[in-house]
Amino acid sequence: MKNLFDLSFTRFVSPSIAKIVYILIMIGLAVTYLFFVIAAFASRQPVMGFLVLLVIGPLFVLIYLALARIGLESLIAGIRTAENTAELVRLQGGPSSGVPSYASGAPQYPYGQAPGNATPGSSPSGYNYPQGYEPPPAPPAG
């Protein structure tokens, strides 16, 4: 709950409240379904009441529940991607403050090596690859 009041926005709160939001959506859909069923039977048309009870209502609930689930899963997947990317940057020795290193406006290159500044043991394109990495061979000419 303290993440909710984190004004630096270094921690994500969405994953921790996604379950609560999903439960609230399910409750809201159930109440809406009951309201529509009661309204359909109150219209004094039993055929319409049974149609809403057995076909339209469940279809409405399933579609909106699926859309809510897909939306929440997309949100969580994006957040987990951001967290995993931050962890990879930290493991590579990058900035751990959560502030992007490109804030200075200077262009950023993989492994800190700008093209054209080749060093011994680097690739022809000027990038230093991680130790043990072999770039793929060039395609045969012809």
Side-chain angles (χ1 to χ4, degrees), residues 29 56-68:
L29 285 172
I56 297 172
L59 193 61
F60 169 84
V61 169
L62 286 176
I63 289 171
Y64 278 94
L65 195 59
L67 289 174

Side-chain angles (χ1 to χ4, degrees), residues 42-124:
S43 70
R44 304 228 183 246
Q45 295 179 351
V47 173
M48 186 62 171
F50 282 112
L51 188 64
V52 170
L53 178 68
L54 299 175
V55 178
I56 297 172
L59 193 61
F60 169 84
V61 169
L62 286 176
I63 289 171
Y64 278 94
L65 195 59
L67 289 174
R69 179 71 185 216
I70 290 168
L72 287 171
E73 285 179 359
S74 297
L75 176 70
I76 299 301
I79 290 170
R80 286 190 181 149
T81 300
E83 289 174 340
N84 291 339
T85 302
E87 180 66 14
L88 288 173
V89 168
R90 188 189 65 77
L91 289 173
Q92 289 288 326
S96 60
S97 65
V99 177
S101 62
Y102 52 82
S104 65
Q108 298 295 306
Y109 299 100
Y111 309 106
Q113 185 68 33
N117 296 336
T119 58
S122 69
S123 72

